[in-house]
Amino acid sequence: MNRKPVIGLALGSGSARGWAHIGVIRALQQAGIKPDLVCGASIGAVVGAAYALGELDRFEHWARGLTGRTMFSFMDFKLAGGMLKGERVIEFFRSRFSDRPIEALDIPFAAVATGLHSGSEVWLRTGSTADAVRASMALPGLFTPAQREGRLLVDGGLVNPVPVSLARAMGADIVIAVDLNADILGRHLRKPGANGAAKPPAEAPEDDEDTAGWLDRLQDGFASLLPTPDPARVPTPSLLEVVLASVNIMQVRITRSRMAGDPPEVVIAPQLAHLGLMDFYRAEEAIAEGQRAAEKTLPFLQQLGLGSV
């Protein structure tokens, strides 16, 4: 008798675009496709953990309710090691969602992190789920590194943005990979406005105008310390924009290289380049795009014998 293939879901990095992972999982569920294991890098680890904990419904409800004001409340600024400590985010996660050991989750789960000193890829497959998520999402320059067993760990997207290889190592025969960065190359910086100033991200809800632009105001504060730019020159992005855009470029290149060497059976690529990296309050459109992108792959998944025909 033929063995049922093991389905692995590899959720990629991409900051606020990561809410698309929720839509992808919803589309798979509606098609009768249930992954046997899940792994993720950065925001992919966040959503993957919620799914493996059996908390995706509550997590989706929370994500859809995020506002600029909510995001600002999570900001615990620190100048050493990164702009944010990230502890408020993780403490919120612990208080609202169960933090079982990875070994005790409903389905097998793992997160990818990067060893800051060695540059090595680190697979987190045991211990606190919240701690693994915190390490995997520690984007350099934004979050301070996480400490685990005497090592400093940062964002897993630096070494394995779409962890297909980890899904294989966990036993997947068929890997469904979600690449959030496929369409961002050359489109990740805000376009300058008519006066040379950077345009703000797409509109936030009106009642959050005072907080949704916290990142813009912080960047403007840094910019005010610099000499007045020459209006004839192309506007220079902020320090944070340069860092985040550089990480985007690196992750796109690494993803292409690693997928060429270890291609997944299916790639789901939501088109979300228009979302800013910190636009977490735009969950509605990210989730909808994730579902749309996943639904486009369903005929091929059915050819592989997955889901309802």
Side-chain angles (χ1 to χ4, degrees):
M1 184 175 182
N2 292 332
R3 177 177 66 89
K4 178 180 177 293
V6 176
I7 304 170
L9 184 60
L11 304 179
S13 59
S15 295
R17 295 187 293 273
W19 295 152
H21 291 315
I22 298 173
V24 168
I25 293 172
R26 293 307 187 200
L28 295 178
Q29 289 176 327
Q30 292 168 10
I33 300 171
K34 182 180 179 181
D36 299 295
L37 58 91
V38 61
C39 59
S42 197
I43 190 66
V46 177
V47 178
Y51 177 62
L53 282 162
E55 299 268 13
L56 190 63
D57 289 345
R58 290 181 59 220
F59 188 82
E60 179 179 356
H61 178 76
W62 170 75
R64 288 182 182 273
L66 282 176
T67 64
R69 192 180 302 276
T70 308
M71 293 306 302
F72 189 78
S73 71
F74 291 144
M75 303 299 106
D76 44 4
F77 294 99
K78 180 179 181 180
L79 295 180
M83 286 176 53
L84 306 173
K85 290 187 289 186
E87 299 307 321
R88 289 184 186 174
V89 176
I90 293 303
E91 286 308 313
F92 178 88
F93 188 91
R94 293 184 199 274
S95 66
R96 293 293 186 92
F97 306 100
S98 58
D99 179 23
R100 302 199 305 274
I102 292 176
E103 307 93 308
L105 297 183
D106 295 352
I107 64 173
F109 167 76
V112 179
T114 303
L116 182 61
H117 291 133
S118 65
S120 60
E121 180 176 341
V122 180
W123 292 348
L124 304 174
R125 303 180 64 174
T126 61
S128 162
T129 301
D131 287 350
V133 168
R134 168 67 179 86
S136 186
M137 67 178 228
L139 188 66
L142 186 61
F143 287 106
T144 57
Q147 298 204 25
R148 182 183 173 102
E149 299 175 354
R151 289 186 295 183
L152 291 177
L153 302 179
V154 293
D155 198 296
L158 300 181
V159 289
N160 200 351
V162 186
V164 175
S165 58
L166 176 52
R168 299 271 186 221
M170 295 171 70
D173 299 310
I174 295 175
V175 177
I176 301 172
V178 185
D179 182 5
L180 301 176
N181 302 318
D183 67 330
I184 64 171
L185 210 56
R187 300 175 61 188
H188 36 264
L189 293 178
R190 294 175 298 168
K191 288 183 171 58
N195 62 354
K199 291 182 179 179
E203 59 277 358
E206 291 184 3
D207 60 347
D208 284 301
E209 288 181 352
D210 57 333
T211 51
W214 68 270
L215 184 58
D216 295 309
R217 294 201 307 277
L218 183 63
Q219 292 170 351
D220 291 343
F222 285 134
S224 68
L225 301 176
L226 301 175
T228 303
D230 180 353
R233 298 183 61 188
V234 175
T236 302
S238 71
L239 171 63
L240 187 57
E241 281 187 303
V242 171
V243 170
L244 297 180
S246 299
V247 170
N248 272 340
I249 294 169
M250 177 191 64
Q251 290 185 351
V252 169
R253 298 300 186 186
I254 292 173
T255 299
R256 290 178 181 177
S257 176
R258 296 202 63 151
M259 280 194 180
D262 187 7
E265 278 65 36
V266 180
V267 177
I268 298 173
Q271 304 294 293
L272 289 168
H274 61 285
L275 256 63
L277 290 176
M278 303 303 291
D279 288 351
F280 288 100
Y281 56 86
R282 299 173 67 182
E284 293 279 351
E285 58 188 291
I287 292 171
E289 171 57 19
Q291 182 152 1
R292 185 201 66 80
E295 288 172 349
K296 288 177 61 177
T297 69
L298 291 180
F300 181 69
L301 288 169
Q302 290 168 357
Q303 289 178 21
L304 294 176
L306 306 181
S308 54
V309 180

